Amino acid sequence: MKGKLLAVSGPSGVGKGTIVKTLIKRRADIVESVSCTTRLPREGEAHGREYFFITKEEFARRIEENDFLEYDEHFGNFYGTPKSFVRDTLESGRSVILEIDVVGALLAKEAFPECILVMIAPPSLEELKRRLKGRNSETDEQIETRLNRLAYELSQKDKYDFVIVNDDLETAIAELESIVDGKAKS
Ligand code: 5GP
């Protein structure tokens, strides 16, 4: 059987990375697509794990070669989902999760109409601010830019098949798992 393709979006700092990565560790039949980006690695990030960190020139060449399922620009950097990896993994029967923003998720759905869109929402704005500041990897100005995007991201909720409120981590993981298994109601 072919695997399922899911696009998981949500504001930065909402915990989508933790939810997705924990589920993937528990399930060998679910994998995360590793995107390409032109941004520099943050501390602790590794090439080929969080992202493939490539130059703007290489990114442009791969756009020309139609190598991305979708791509977009954020904060002056490019991010894209490699098409061949997604196709091959789905064919092998495993499910693929794309951790991408709203615009990218909608583009992925256009390219793959069977793509399931999942939004992870914060329990509150205050909680999200606290998480972003605790991450300590960005300046106040960068955090402000991310928070300004929040309203836009959450306003797109209606276009999504599922919304998971990340109040409790284990509950959120279980919800995502039931979506992959086709047991959740939208
Ligand atoms: P960050 O720099 O915090 O890792 O990611 C910045 C934004 O890029 C996030 O909203 C993230 O979801 C988005 N992003 C990461 N990978 C991709 C991708 O492959 N395609 C698109 N369109 N957005 C991505």
Side-chain angles (χ1 to χ4, degrees), residues 102-103 106 148-157 159:
V102 171
V103 177
L106 295 173
N148 288 338
R149 257 193 89 82
L150 174 79
Y152 169 72
E153 298 235 339
L154 294 180
S155 74
Q156 301 297 301
K157 268 199 318 213
K159 297 184 180 147

Side-chain angles (χ1 to χ4, degrees), residues 4-164:
K4 289 199 184 74
L5 178 64
L6 278 82
V8 176
S9 316
S12 203
V14 77
K16 58 184 184 293
T18 310
I19 296 169
V20 169
K21 278 166 191 70
T22 310
L23 180 60
I24 280 166
K25 256 193 220 146
R26 292 178 189 170
R27 294 271 302 250
D29 59 334
I30 308 173
V31 296
E32 187 172 12
S33 161
V34 180
S35 297
C36 297
T37 181
T38 60
R39 84 153 161 75
L40 294 174
R42 293 194 190 113
E43 214 177 297
E45 288 182 333
H47 183 75
R49 194 178 61 200
E50 280 77 16
Y51 289 105
F52 290 104
F53 298 97
I54 63 175
T55 61
K56 287 205 159 132
E57 291 71 26
E58 189 180 346
F59 203 100
R61 183 181 57 74
R62 291 179 64 164
I63 292 174
E64 289 287 300
E65 290 171 358
N66 197 19
D67 203 18
F68 293 118
L69 179 62
E70 60 73 42
Y71 67 91
D72 200 5
E73 189 180 355
H74 303 281
F75 319 110
N77 289 303
F78 287 94
Y79 296 78
T81 306
K83 200 186 268 177
S84 48
F85 171 83
V86 172
R87 287 233 171 92
D88 295 349
T89 312
L90 293 177
E91 288 299 328
S92 79
R94 288 172 296 166
S95 291
V96 178
I97 298 185
L98 313 176
E99 224 190 280
I100 50 176
D101 70 300
V102 171
V103 177
L106 295 173
L107 288 173
K109 184 129 187 159
E110 252 173 53
F112 268 80
E114 63 273 45
C115 180
I116 301 167
L117 304 186
V118 182
M119 164 85 65
I120 312 283
S124 72
L125 187 60
E126 282 315 305
E127 174 62 17
L128 185 71
K129 275 187 194 165
R130 202 184 58 72
R131 288 184 199 174
L132 276 178
K133 291 198 168 136
R135 204 156 71 168
N136 255 342
S137 62
E138 280 153 55
T139 63
D140 284 353
E141 201 187 329
Q142 284 169 322
I143 288 175
E144 227 17 73
T145 310
R146 287 187 185 275
L147 287 173
N148 288 338
R149 257 193 89 82
L150 174 79
Y152 169 72
E153 298 235 339
L154 294 180
S155 74
Q156 301 297 301
K157 268 199 318 213
D158 290 351
K159 297 184 180 147
Y160 275 64
D161 300 301
F162 297 93
V163 177
I164 298 174

